[in-house]
Amino acid sequence: MSWFKRIKGGITTSTKEKKETPEGLWVKCPGKVKVQVKDKEEVKECGNMIPTAENEGNLWVCTKCNHHQRIGSREYYHILFDDAHFELFSENLSSSDPLNFHDSKPYTKRLKDTTSKTKLDDAVRTAIGKVDGEEMVVACMDFSFIGGSMGSVVGEKLARAVDKCIEKQVPLLIISKSGGARMMEAAFSLMQLAKTSAKLSQLANAKLPYISLLTDPTTGGVTASYAMLGDMNIAEPGALIGFAGPRVIKETIGKELPEGFQTSEFVLEHGFLDMIVARKDLKSKLAHIVRLLKN
């Protein structure tokens, strides 16, 4: 006798008994991988499905292709600071609208909507705490806040971060993740390039280390200012790093760009980075660099 009987009509589970898979249990990796198709290599999306808990445990890095997913300041602070213990400062600073700027919506409305959605005051948060036993100030940008764009508040918070370093005699780490200057603030935004660069000169005069960590993406005015001014410039694997985007450059020069153009590996090879550090090694490597620079 067969061990099962086929039920006429197939599956008979009622609609009420069916259970949908809750959202947020899995993450699909957006990384790109090379595959061999008919004697040639093609680039395709990784598409690896990772359980959310496993993804977080692996520091938001794909176990299949090693793609470093974009994360925000909350995640970086929990990765870097010992026991996830840190003190935020310069909170509750928010941008004004000096130009009464409108694009698809008023700038004031965009700020209000973004703040409500992200629960952030602007595109950077600053904190002080210990990283593998070494006290330091960490300023981390959030791409979710208007593309991590650099406006007046970003410049002011970074300036205050330098002041905190000088006051406490501790090093500075800036984690960049940005589309560049914030167009809604026009010249006010561009003035932050000079402001932050000048403040970093004060940090150098105080003989305090500054480490710049470039993550995906770091572009525009941020790359043209503080992101490339570190005593050590390091990056995560596969990060997009540049001034103008690859599409703009390609259209401007009218030529095909080299493979891997503007990735952190390409930038390292051409001398604009000191090293590439995987996220799992970031905490220990940063502390090691700080100890070397302090000595």
Side-chain angles (χ1 to χ4, degrees), residues 6-289:
R6 188 177 298 277
I7 300 173
K8 186 176 181 180
I11 298 172
T12 57
T13 307
S14 67
T15 303
K16 289 183 179 180
E17 292 175 317
K18 292 179 181 178
K19 298 186 185 298
E20 297 293 334
T21 303
E23 292 185 7
L25 292 180
W26 296 81
V27 175
K28 184 179 181 182
C29 175
K32 305 296 182 182
V33 294
K34 291 180 179 179
V35 295
Q36 197 75 21
V37 179
K38 295 181 179 179
D39 300 327
K40 66 176 182 178
E41 281 190 337
E42 291 185 5
V43 177
K44 292 188 176 181
E45 186 178 277
C46 171
N48 184 28
M49 298 299 294
I50 315 166
T52 300
E54 180 183 324
N55 192 43
E56 184 175 344
N58 203 46
L59 307 182
W60 297 273
V61 176
C62 179
T63 53
K64 182 179 178 181
C65 71
N66 198 41
H67 173 71
H68 283 54
Q69 301 157 33
R70 291 179 186 176
I71 56 175
S73 57
R74 292 183 183 91
E75 291 80 8
Y76 275 112
Y77 286 165
H78 280 79
I79 290 170
L80 294 177
F81 287 118
D82 295 348
D83 301 320
H85 180 73
F86 55 91
E87 179 187 345
L88 293 169
F89 62 92
S90 298
E91 291 288 275
N92 303 319
L93 293 178
S94 56
S95 295
S96 59
D97 185 15
L99 304 178
N100 193 26
F101 190 91
H102 286 64
D103 48 11
S104 59
K105 65 172 77 172
Y107 182 38
T108 51
K109 178 73 163 54
R110 188 179 297 280
L111 286 170
K112 183 178 179 181
D113 291 348
T114 306
T115 299
S116 176
K117 181 180 178 181
T118 63
K119 306 296 187 261
L120 298 167
D121 294 316
D122 213 280
V124 70
R125 292 204 304 167
T126 50
I128 185 169
K130 290 188 175 181
V131 177
D132 202 19
E134 295 291 333
E135 188 172 23
M136 66 178 74
V137 169
V138 180
C140 184
M141 304 192 73
D142 282 282
F143 195 77
S144 59
F145 196 99
I146 314 182
S149 51
M150 178 180 60
S152 301
V153 168
V154 170
E156 178 61 22
K157 293 186 81 168
L158 293 179
R160 294 189 186 190
V162 171
D163 291 339
K164 177 72 77 172
C165 289
I166 295 173
E167 175 194 345
K168 299 290 187 180
Q169 288 294 290
V170 296
L172 173 66
L173 166 67
I174 298 180
I175 304 174
S176 297
K177 187 187 301 285
S178 174
R182 189 171 300 174
M183 67 174 187
M184 299 85 167
E185 296 185 22
F188 290 95
S189 175
L190 296 177
M191 288 164 63
Q192 308 313 309
L193 279 75
K195 179 177 179 176
T196 53
S197 299
K199 293 299 291 187
L200 289 172
S201 294
Q202 293 181 5
L203 192 71
N205 291 337
K207 300 188 184 303
L208 293 169
Y210 163 46
I211 302 172
S212 177
L213 171 60
L214 294 83
T215 67
D216 183 63
T218 301
T219 59
V222 170
T223 308
S225 56
Y226 55 84
M228 283 295 187
L229 293 177
D231 297 310
M232 291 286 288
N233 294 328
I234 65 178
E236 289 186 335
L240 173 67
I241 299 169
F243 181 65
R247 179 181 56 82
V248 174
I249 295 174
K250 181 180 177 180
E251 290 177 355
T252 302
I253 66 175
K255 294 182 180 180
E256 290 295 324
L257 301 176
E259 184 179 353
F261 181 70
Q262 289 188 326
T263 61
S264 50
E265 290 77 10
F266 185 93
V267 177
L268 175 67
E269 184 180 344
H270 289 78
F272 286 90
L273 287 176
D274 294 298
M275 65 179 74
I276 295 172
V277 182
R279 198 171 286 165
K280 63 182 176 63
D281 301 321
L282 196 54
K283 184 174 181 175
S284 59
K285 184 66 71 173
L286 286 169
H288 181 64
I289 292 171

